[in-house]
Amino acid sequence: MTPLTTAPQKPPHRITLAFQGGGAIGAFQAGVLEALHNAGVEVAACSGSSIGAINAALYFGNDPSCRVDRLKAFWRSVSVPGSALRQHALQLWPPHRALEDQTVRRVLAETDQSYAFQVGLPGFFVRRLHIPWFTGTGNPGDASVFDTRPLSRTLSSLCDFELLNRSPVEVSVVAANLATGAARYFVNHDDGLDSAMIMASGALPPWFPAVEIDGSWYWDGSLVTGAPLRHLVSRAPAAAHTVILRADLWSCDGPLADNLVDVDIRLKNIQHASRAAFFNEAFEESQHLKSLLAYALARIDGEQRQNDPQLMNAAALAQPKNVRIVPVDYPRSQCEAHFKDSQFGETAIDEHWKNGRLAAETALSKMGSE
């Protein structure tokens, strides 16, 4: 009698999220999270850097019933007061009709940025009265333009860290060790996340102060990683197929810059996007080389492989990661719109949020049809 055979089942999919840093443009990631929430997508792990760490903490540090509301509350608390009303008034102003839309966007971007730099943002940071330009205090936490204690209070009021650390979702945030320059990942299941770790991940110098954790000082995680993919890849279990939804906020592609505002935008996009692209290229090359190594080892006699320690080591390395990276990126995020990462105006935040929701809905639709 011929034995019954069954087709091998595909391993279960694990959905994970990689959230890059990008200041105000991080509202795009909040839109991504809203789309995933509306679609009922279960997430196994999330790794965030800078504003991505804040979004992750606020979302997974709350009960599902109020996650999106808490995200909205945060972004309202860090927006420039009255910015939407100012834009509406500008549109009603007669000379506005003679200006190009791009010019208006540039003016609004500079206005919102100037307000944040001169005054601060209500739930985020305030400008220091005394900045140690030349003479230090001996405390790295004083060496910044802004004081981020308002962010600490905002996180404490909007994120339940006990719930975050009990969550079945592994949430990790990355920061840069100020003394060594090494990346440090703080993980809810391993370290127990708190507001200091989230703030360390977003401590971008010289604007925001370094954060001390267990005797070490940390700066923004974006300084040491273009996109927090490495941690998700390294911890992906071999028994399951891991899909990483990557929400990058920067784009290598863009128009030629012919003014200093656009030069600043293009500079940051190239700096951040190129580092993320480097990891993606290295990951794809590693996967390809592992596949070739496995193919070559299969052509060697099995007994010889088992008796040769070097070949056994090679066999252990010849296993490509069961990982797929799906981009849910913000293409040309600041090219036509001329948005800036320091532009916390209500209109800009709303547009980023909407674009993130649409990008995630499109990505989920494509994944569902594959």
Side-chain angles (χ1 to χ4, degrees):
M1 181 176 179
T2 304
L4 294 176
T5 58
T6 57
Q9 294 183 349
K10 292 183 179 180
H13 285 60
R14 294 175 67 252
I15 302 297
T16 64
L17 307 176
F19 283 169
Q20 191 181 34
I25 310 164
F28 175 88
Q29 296 168 346
V32 170
L33 288 169
E34 182 181 31
L36 298 179
H37 175 80
N38 292 340
V41 174
E42 293 187 4
V43 176
C46 178
S47 188
S49 174
S50 197
I51 195 66
I54 294 175
N55 282 324
L58 291 169
Y59 186 77
F60 295 105
N62 278 288
D63 186 86
S65 62
C66 62
R67 285 173 172 173
V68 175
D69 289 339
R70 290 298 172 89
L71 279 173
K72 291 180 178 178
F74 168 78
W75 284 98
R76 284 195 301 268
S77 75
V78 302
S79 62
V80 174
S83 56
L85 180 62
R86 184 177 62 248
Q87 176 165 348
H88 181 66
L90 180 61
Q91 292 173 338
L92 297 177
W93 184 48
H96 166 264
R97 297 181 178 86
L99 298 175
E100 294 183 3
D101 185 56
Q102 291 183 356
T103 302
V104 175
R105 286 182 179 272
R106 288 190 180 100
V107 171
L108 290 172
E110 294 305 311
T111 301
D112 289 339
Q113 176 177 269
S114 296
Y115 180 94
F117 282 0
Q118 295 302 319
V119 180
L121 297 170
F124 205 158
F125 56 84
V126 294
R127 192 174 180 89
R128 290 185 185 274
L129 296 177
H130 303 288
I131 301 173
W133 293 107
F134 303 108
T135 304
T137 64
N139 182 0
D142 292 336
S144 66
V145 176
F146 300 114
D147 183 335
T148 53
R149 279 179 290 184
L151 176 59
S152 178
R153 293 190 290 269
T154 299
L155 288 172
S156 296
S157 65
L158 295 179
C159 178
D160 184 340
F161 283 96
E162 290 186 5
L163 181 63
L164 176 63
N165 293 324
R166 295 197 312 267
S167 172
V169 180
E170 181 185 272
V171 179
S172 59
V173 301
V174 59
N177 186 294
L178 179 55
T180 67
R184 167 72 189 274
Y185 284 88
F186 298 98
V187 186
N188 60 342
H189 295 164
D190 299 340
D191 307 287
L193 294 178
D194 57 27
S195 60
M197 295 171 181
I198 306 303
M199 293 176 65
S201 184
L204 181 65
W207 309 110
F208 302 148
V211 177
E212 184 180 18
I213 300 173
D214 296 332
S216 297
W217 290 89
Y218 294 92
W219 271 343
D220 194 298
S222 296
L223 298 175
V224 288
T225 178
L229 290 162
R230 184 182 303 275
H231 184 77
L232 295 172
V233 171
S234 65
R235 292 171 75 107
H241 178 56
T242 296
V243 174
I244 301 177
L245 300 181
R246 182 194 66 201
D248 282 1
L249 303 176
W250 307 90
S251 173
C252 282
D253 298 329
L256 297 177
D258 61 359
N259 60 80
L260 291 183
V261 171
D262 288 352
V263 165
D264 178 57
I265 292 174
R266 289 298 303 132
L267 173 63
K268 289 182 178 180
N269 271 273
I270 292 172
Q271 285 178 331
H272 291 284
S274 61
R275 287 190 293 137
F278 176 78
F279 175 85
N280 294 334
E281 293 171 1
F283 175 70
E284 292 177 0
E285 181 179 354
S286 172
Q287 292 284 83
H288 179 61
L289 290 175
K290 288 181 178 182
S291 296
L292 290 178
L293 180 58
Y295 177 84
L297 288 171
R299 297 299 182 270
I300 300 175
D301 178 72
E303 184 176 352
Q304 182 180 355
R305 292 200 309 268
Q306 294 176 1
N307 293 329
D308 189 321
Q310 291 293 77
L311 290 179
M312 292 178 64
N313 289 335
L317 295 174
Q319 298 297 325
K321 286 287 186 178
N322 195 4
V323 171
R324 176 189 174 199
I325 299 174
V326 176
V328 191
D329 299 339
Y330 202 168
R332 299 174 67 84
S333 59
Q334 302 131 81
C335 298
E336 291 82 8
H338 300 279
F339 287 131
K340 304 181 76 171
D341 58 323
S342 53
Q343 182 185 358
F344 283 84
E346 296 173 4
T347 301
I349 287 173
D350 289 345
E351 184 161 342
H352 295 321
W353 189 300
K354 178 189 70 176
N355 290 334
R357 185 177 63 248
L358 293 175
E361 290 171 351
T362 299
L364 291 175
S365 176
K366 289 181 179 179
M367 288 174 59
S369 62
E370 292 176 352

